Amino acid sequence: MKSINGSTHRRVTDIPNAQASNTMNSTTGPALVANYLSFSFDATPVLDNVNFTVNRGEFVALVGPNGSGKSTLIRILVGLLRASSGTVEVLGCEPRMLRERWRIGYVPQRPALTGDLPATVEEVIQAGRLARRGWWKTFRQADHDAVDHALAAVALTDLRKRPVTQLSGGEQQRVMIAKALAGEPDLLVLDEPIAGVDKEAQRQFRDSVVHLVAHHQATVLLVSHELGAVAADLDRVIVLKRSVIFDGTPAELTSRGVSLGIHHDDLPLWLEDLEVPGAT
Amino acid sequence: MMPWPFELDFMQRALIAGLAIGIAAPLVGTFLVQRRMALFGDGIGHAAFAGVGAGLLLDVWPTWTALAVAVGGALIVEWLRSHGRATSDLALALLFYSGLALGSILLAKSGSSSIGRDQYLFGSVLTANANDVRTVVLLAITIVLIVAVAARALFAVVLDEETARVNGLPVDRLNLLLAALTAVTVVAAIDVVGTLLVAALMVLPVATSRLLATSFRRTLLLASVGGAVSVIAGLSASRGFDLAPGGSIVLFAVALFVVVSLVRGVRTAPASNEHTHQH
């Protein structure tokens, strides 16, 4: 699945199942395109002329120093915020105009599970299938199978009937990833999914995402300060510091002195030292 | 022939109306509690009071004017909240005070007696006629059916509104649906517990069921069972000790919560550390 040299990216047209489930205008072309994207908050620029493309089937990491605009960019990409200027295309459409929104799987940064949520792991994951099925329709076998598959992908099958509040932080994060997987998305956007979880949880997270990319041909955009667990599996790394200051393979990034396998507290500092192209 | 205390016609009518609301109200309340909007029903109750006043003044059936005002008020509060025009508690405060103030003025203008006022504020299920019971049951069945269809989607929204929005669920419409369901529940419950106590039946059985349930489905089920038990016990006490039925029902809902809290606290305290799954 890995294509460090950028030459072996899959195309959705190579995949029969994906071909059958997609609409005409959004089956070809890149999964994500940001064109001269800018965003200001109260006249303070947060993003400035951000340009990048993520091709279908790629596993891409978006990294950057603290306050570099990563979460803002993600929220624009998934349609929760409008850009001040520039355009975004997600699966061939402006995010809010995409009819089959279930094709975007989203795992937000903050933990969504409140301490008193009376729900099982299975119920939470089923919620991720609703938009695809139609929220008013009863689940069919294919929907139950998708939920089972999502549970298995994050190794939580044995805990499916367990209340989510009894799980550890790492397990809860895997529940949220499985919830996103249950919709069988074409694009999975993960905002700091492994922040604060232990090494074993990071390894299981890595296995889940690799499984998704390898077996479901999904496109994955991962925002994280902790790339060590997935560094060897990434196709590309995009470094953001209000605008894109690096876009290339992990090998190219490490050749510029940034180690992706280092502790998460240090990565933002390494990225601070990367220079903006043309700035010097 | 039903046994005491439900052997008389008026008690049977009270039981049917009470059970309909006891089962339906906590279903809606489960979603409100999870959204930290437990007092939303209370605010809608006050708006409904103004609707009752308008109905009496205009000499039309107060249930339907209460329904119109309650639904309108609920949709306005939800709009203010979702569009960031007012915080949830401020929007509710607006509804609380304007509803109560308008209701008191309209009822005074209509020439309603203080007894008539009390029956809307605290319920009058023992005097409900067959027509009242039919209306309550019809509204309760509507609530149960809508919740049965929309429960999973409403759960997805209360679980994580942003993700639901990204996935393409109609979050704004589902929030408005929940607001409208709350208003219908409030109006259906006016005869049983009155506008001041209506939120109690939406919230207290849910608080109890959350102590026991390990899934959202069971939370809904146990909340309805708790609501029904409170109604049966409250009406029985009302008959046996000549108590106000609305107040009795709500006090039994409170008692159920206290008892379950104590029992659960005693049972789980020593083992709570063992059951928490930590890695």
Side-chain angles (χ1 to χ4, degrees):
Chain A
M1 56 153 276
K2 199 160 80 74
S3 56
I4 289 290
N5 61 8
S7 62
T8 57
H9 301 318
R10 285 168 305 277
R11 293 289 180 271
V12 79
T13 46
D14 300 331
I15 307 154
N17 288 341
Q19 216 173 14
S21 66
N22 292 335
T23 52
M24 194 66 180
N25 71 336
S26 53
T27 51
T28 56
L32 268 175
V33 182
N35 278 322
Y36 299 101
L37 203 65
S38 295
F39 182 84
S40 299
F41 184 74
D42 285 345
T44 305
V46 180
L47 299 171
D48 182 25
N49 282 327
V50 172
N51 289 291
F52 69 89
T53 298
V54 177
N55 291 311
R56 299 195 186 229
E58 278 191 313
F59 181 10
V60 176
L62 177 68
V63 297
N66 294 323
S68 60
K70 300 186 297 292
S71 289
T72 302
L73 176 59
I74 292 294
R75 290 171 67 78
I76 292 172
L77 294 178
V78 299
L80 288 172
L81 277 178
R82 282 188 197 278
S84 305
S85 63
T87 59
V88 177
E89 275 187 27
V90 177
L91 300 168
C93 295
E94 196 274 324
R96 293 174 191 234
M97 301 301 288
L98 183 66
R99 284 186 63 193
E100 296 162 319
R101 294 286 297 269
W102 53 262
R103 294 176 64 199
I104 306 172
Y106 174 54
V107 180
Q109 184 174 14
R110 56 183 169 66
L113 301 174
T114 56
D116 57 356
L117 180 73
T120 62
V121 168
E122 187 174 32
E123 285 176 322
V124 172
I125 295 173
Q126 283 175 340
R129 183 71 185 176
L130 278 184
R132 177 163 188 156
R133 176 72 192 116
W135 63 267
W136 67 96
K137 295 179 183 172
T138 53
F139 273 21
R140 291 185 178 168
Q141 191 55 46
D143 304 304
H144 292 296
D145 290 347
V147 170
D148 291 347
H149 198 75
L151 276 161
V154 296
L156 284 177
T157 303
D158 293 343
L159 300 180
R160 66 191 303 156
K161 298 296 181 190
R162 185 81 63 102
V164 282
T165 50
Q166 289 185 11
L167 303 188
S168 67
E171 287 169 336
Q172 287 193 0
Q173 194 54 268
R174 275 153 56 203
V175 171
M176 299 315 288
I177 293 167
K179 177 171 174 267
L181 296 184
E184 296 179 285
D186 294 329
L187 170 65
L188 183 61
V189 179
L190 304 136
D191 193 357
E192 298 277 9
I194 47 178
V197 304
D198 60 30
K199 291 290 175 204
E200 174 60 13
Q202 288 188 29
R203 187 191 61 75
Q204 284 171 328
F205 163 78
R206 177 261 171 202
D207 291 347
S208 305
V209 174
V210 168
H211 173 88
L212 180 73
V213 177
H215 295 277
H216 297 275
Q217 290 78 38
T219 309
V220 178
L221 180 64
L222 166 69
V223 176
S224 181
H225 280 160
E226 305 178 31
L227 294 180
V230 295
D233 305 293
L234 290 168
D235 292 318
R236 276 166 55 217
V237 180
I238 296 171
V239 182
L240 186 75
K241 203 160 139 185
R242 254 200 272 167
S243 55
V244 174
I245 60 171
F246 175 85
D247 184 351
T249 65
E252 288 166 352
L253 185 58
T254 50
S255 72
R256 295 177 64 173
V258 176
S259 169
L260 299 178
I262 59 175
H263 190 267
H264 66 90
D265 289 338
D266 300 329
L267 182 57
L269 300 176
W270 281 80
L271 296 170
E272 284 280 9
D273 294 336
L274 271 180
E275 291 173 357
V276 179
T280 55
Chain B
M1 186 72 178
M2 292 185 75
W4 187 95
F6 301 110
E7 79 281 14
L8 300 174
D9 284 351
F10 78 93
M11 284 301 291
Q12 288 171 15
R13 287 195 296 273
L15 180 65
I16 293 168
L19 283 177
I21 289 306
I23 290 168
L27 293 179
V28 178
T30 302
F31 298 100
L32 296 179
V33 169
Q34 195 58 45
R35 287 188 68 180
R36 310 244 185 282
M37 290 177 68
L39 292 179
F40 189 53
D42 223 5
I44 304 299
H46 286 65
F49 184 61
V52 167
L56 291 174
L57 185 63
L58 299 170
D59 201 22
V60 292
W61 203 21
T63 300
W64 299 112
T65 49
L67 186 63
V69 173
V71 171
L75 296 182
I76 289 170
V77 168
E78 175 54 31
W79 187 85
L80 288 171
R81 187 196 68 80
S82 63
H83 286 74
R85 301 297 171 93
T87 57
S88 290
D89 59 341
L90 187 60
L92 273 179
L94 284 168
L95 200 64
F96 256 74
Y97 303 127
S98 57
L100 203 56
L102 191 61
S104 64
I105 289 172
L106 292 174
L107 258 101
K109 280 279 183 194
S110 73
S112 174
S113 65
S114 59
I115 295 172
R117 209 167 305 167
D118 282 357
Q119 87 180 46
Y120 291 110
L121 287 172
F122 301 107
S124 58
V125 73
L126 299 182
T127 59
N129 59 34
N131 204 20
D132 295 333
V133 173
R134 263 195 297 275
T135 305
V136 170
V137 170
L138 182 71
L139 292 174
I141 289 173
T142 305
I143 292 161
V144 171
L145 288 177
I146 292 175
V147 169
V149 172
R152 282 187 315 194
L154 291 170
F155 169 70
V157 173
V158 299
L159 175 65
D160 185 351
E161 190 167 313
E162 271 194 355
T163 308
R165 205 179 285 280
V166 170
N167 284 158
L169 287 176
V171 171
D172 293 334
R173 275 183 283 160
L174 286 165
N175 282 336
L176 289 175
L177 175 68
L178 182 59
L181 272 177
T182 307
V184 174
T185 308
V186 164
V187 173
I190 286 177
D191 273 341
V192 180
V193 286
T195 57
L196 287 185
L197 291 174
V198 64
L201 258 191
M202 300 175 81
V203 171
L204 294 174
V206 179
T208 307
S209 78
R210 282 159 64 96
L211 295 171
L212 300 169
T214 53
S215 72
F216 202 74
R217 185 187 290 258
R218 283 191 183 176
T219 304
L220 287 166
L221 185 69
L222 288 177
S224 280
V225 170
V229 168
S230 301
V231 165
I232 293 169
L235 288 176
S236 301
S238 171
R239 174 85 190 279
F241 301 102
D242 195 22
L243 305 173
S248 300
I249 291 169
V250 171
L251 282 180
F252 267 100
V254 173
L256 202 57
F257 174 76
V258 171
V259 169
V260 171
S261 296
L262 291 174
V263 171
R264 193 176 182 280
V266 168
R267 282 179 55 193
T268 59
S272 59
N273 290 336
E274 291 170 32
H275 287 169
T276 304
H277 191 229
Q278 293 291 340
H279 287 296

